[in-house]
Amino acid sequence: MRSSGVSLAAGVLATALVARRAREWRQVRRNLALHAPAVAQAGADAARVVCVVPMYQETDLAEDTVRFWRQLVLDKRVDAVVLVTTVKESGPPGRTTHALLEEALADEGDAAASLVLLHCQEVYPYRAAQLDLAVEWARERFSAAAETESLWIGVYNADSRPQPGTFEELRKEISSAPEVRLFQQLVDYVVPDREGSGKVAAGNAVLQTWWTLSHYVSRNTKGRSGDTVWSRTSPYSTFGHGEFIRSDFLDFIGGFPRYAYADGLLLGWVARLAGEPIGLLMSRDIAEVPRTARDLVLQQTAWLRGLLNFGITVEWCRAQGLLNLSEREVRLLRARHLAIPVAWGLSTAVVAAGIAAESHRVIRGRSSAAGLATVAALGAYPVLPGLVAATRQQRAMGLGRRVAGVLASWPVEGLAFWPALHGHLRHGQQAPAKTPR
């Protein structure tokens, strides 16, 4: 009787997971067709866009980062780019991120006034101090725009390579939706073209891009366009890269959030709790994934710790008088946010247990055709995203590499839930000093 109950539970789980993947595939197929609209000419001519790139232990990326942003400045796609290092980083003389950036920026010519390097002297656990320093510089440089609420701050990571059309699309959206003070662009995750990138990186790039297309787009769209309790509590946020914030909104909330780890998530949550819409840009930020299994666990653990900070954000917003949702809506939003890391963490263990239980029955010869179908369905659940090529790089990978990568990456991602939960319950360190990419 007990064995039959386990088999029934595994069958129900397999059915639910296949149905979930089917829904996700419909969303992915629909959202793959999303592209930035053609922009004949840039709108919002009064807007000034300053991109900020906080840098910490980025010696491998320093020169390439300067090269990328120099070209965007020369093409006048943005008004300025601010690279911000931190005094927290130490290293061999001449080999720190700051030293390498100084060397790369030594002869900027026409780009010198608009591609600048700042060094944050404030020792703070999170990168918000670096971001706030750059915002202060931008306000001084573009004071007229700041006074007229036309100064926009874009945030990117050192590995971010936003599509050039991002900034034309942003200016168009600023003109067409003047009430929106935050925008988040979509992200295509890619395998770094550097030594050490293997199957885990390939699989993680597939799964991360799949999640963005299957979940984030629909949550953002429903949350922005609806005026129901369910839409107001749609669980989405900003990412910490590929995000744009109007400077008056930063004034409104007192700068980038500093009360916990993961300012990207915190910023979006504060906006959601304050009733502030987050616009969506179809242009992609091309961002790297971690190269190794170890770095992936560290990254996913840090992200999960960030997701578990939603309750802290609620209390912070309440103390600051920023809470613009009813208590019922806050409770529902909190529950829907909590479901994300819990489902993320438990799904790997539950699926693995289901496969093991049904496989044992098959080996013992006590399984019917339905049992074999259950094993196949559970085994297919992590594989299915690998069947879809969502980016140019994924198409170049080929089907075999995508599937092998997903099989390698999926269990590794699931492992991260447990150290994240342990650290959260013990109120330990919020995240690694350096979140791997």
Side-chain angles (χ1 to χ4, degrees):
M1 181 68 70
R2 180 180 177 183
S3 178
S4 298
V6 171
S7 182
L8 177 62
V12 171
L13 174 65
T15 302
L17 291 177
V18 169
R20 176 183 178 180
R21 283 297 193 222
R23 290 194 301 271
E24 290 176 346
W25 163 235
R26 286 196 295 270
Q27 291 289 343
V28 169
R29 184 174 58 182
R30 181 183 302 116
N31 294 330
L32 275 174
L34 294 176
H35 297 286
V39 182
Q41 59 182 11
D45 291 337
R48 293 291 176 263
V49 179
V50 177
C51 291
V52 180
V53 186
M55 307 277 280
Y56 177 57
Q57 295 182 358
E58 305 285 7
T59 54
D60 290 346
L61 288 167
E63 292 182 13
D64 189 58
T65 299
V66 169
R67 190 179 305 114
F68 175 83
W69 289 105
R70 175 193 289 124
Q71 192 58 54
L72 287 184
V73 167
L74 291 174
D75 291 344
K76 300 189 183 303
R77 295 186 180 274
V78 296
D79 294 282
V81 174
V82 184
L83 309 175
V84 192
T85 56
T86 171
V87 72
K88 294 186 299 182
E89 179 180 346
S90 59
R95 295 302 303 172
T96 63
T97 302
H98 186 78
L100 292 175
L101 289 173
E102 279 189 319
E103 183 179 336
L105 292 167
D107 185 19
E108 279 304 294
D110 293 340
S114 299
L115 180 56
V116 302
L117 174 63
L118 302 180
H119 193 52
C120 181
Q121 298 294 329
E122 181 181 357
V123 178
Y124 198 76
Y126 316 125
R127 68 176 192 171
Q130 292 167 263
L131 296 173
D132 285 338
L133 176 64
V135 172
E136 182 181 345
W137 179 92
R139 286 198 176 107
E140 292 179 2
R141 172 72 181 274
F142 300 101
S143 57
E147 291 173 3
T148 59
E149 300 179 355
S150 298
L151 176 61
W152 286 82
I153 306 299
V155 179
Y156 285 102
N157 289 332
D159 65 294
S160 292
R161 300 295 179 261
Q163 294 177 329
T166 296
F167 309 101
E168 284 74 16
E169 184 187 2
L170 172 66
R171 294 175 188 277
K172 177 180 179 295
E173 291 299 318
I174 290 172
S175 291
S176 61
E179 76 284 358
V180 177
R181 298 193 288 180
L182 289 90
F183 286 96
Q184 173 64 58
Q185 72 177 131
L186 293 181
V187 180
D188 284 349
Y189 293 93
V190 299
V191 179
D193 185 19
R194 298 198 300 281
E195 184 180 354
S197 301
K199 291 181 180 178
V200 168
N204 185 236
V206 170
L207 292 172
Q208 284 298 118
T209 305
W210 174 277
W211 179 87
T212 301
L213 294 172
S214 64
H215 289 276
Y216 184 82
V217 175
S218 59
R219 290 174 182 172
N220 179 285
T221 302
K222 291 174 183 176
R224 282 186 297 117
S225 59
D227 192 27
T228 65
V229 170
W230 196 248
S231 64
R232 287 194 295 273
T233 58
S234 179
Y236 67 94
S237 181
T238 42
F239 293 170
H241 57 98
E243 62 188 24
F244 295 89
I245 314 100
R246 210 168 75 186
S247 62
D248 61 313
F249 181 73
L250 287 173
D251 285 338
F252 176 62
I253 65 173
F256 281 93
R258 293 189 175 211
Y259 54 86
Y261 167 73
D263 59 86
L265 289 175
L266 304 179
L267 177 72
W269 289 343
V270 170
R272 301 288 291 127
L273 292 166
E276 193 82 20
I278 301 175
L280 184 62
L281 303 180
M282 298 299 110
S283 299
R284 296 330 199 237
D285 177 19
I286 312 301
E288 294 182 354
V289 297
R291 288 176 289 172
T292 67
R294 176 182 177 277
D295 283 350
L296 180 58
V297 170
L298 290 174
Q299 182 208 60
Q300 301 287 299
T301 300
W303 283 5
L304 280 162
R305 287 302 310 272
L307 285 171
L308 293 170
N309 281 332
F310 184 76
I312 301 173
T313 303
V314 172
E315 298 310 314
W316 185 85
C317 285
R318 182 177 282 116
Q320 303 299 316
L322 296 173
L323 205 56
N324 199 29
L325 298 179
S326 69
E327 286 302 317
R328 175 193 174 198
E329 290 170 335
V330 169
R331 287 194 297 271
L332 181 56
L333 186 54
R334 187 197 295 260
R336 295 179 71 182
H337 268 297
L338 181 61
I340 295 172
V342 170
W344 181 354
L346 296 183
S347 63
T348 304
V350 171
V351 171
I355 292 174
E358 282 303 296
S359 296
H360 179 71
R361 284 171 55 82
V362 170
I363 294 171
R364 296 288 297 272
R366 294 186 297 178
S367 178
S368 63
L372 291 171
T374 297
V375 172
L378 290 173
Y381 174 73
V383 172
L384 289 175
L387 304 181
V388 180
T391 67
R392 181 181 302 174
Q393 187 190 69
Q394 289 176 23
R395 289 191 291 273
M397 283 182 192
L399 178 61
R401 186 182 175 197
R402 292 198 306 271
V403 170
V406 167
L407 287 173
S409 175
W410 180 75
V412 173
E413 292 184 38
L415 290 173
F417 175 75
W418 304 105
L421 179 63
H422 179 263
H424 181 76
L425 294 176
R426 294 193 62 182
H427 305 286
Q429 185 181 6
Q430 290 252 356
K434 164 71 175 175
T435 305
R437 289 192 298 277

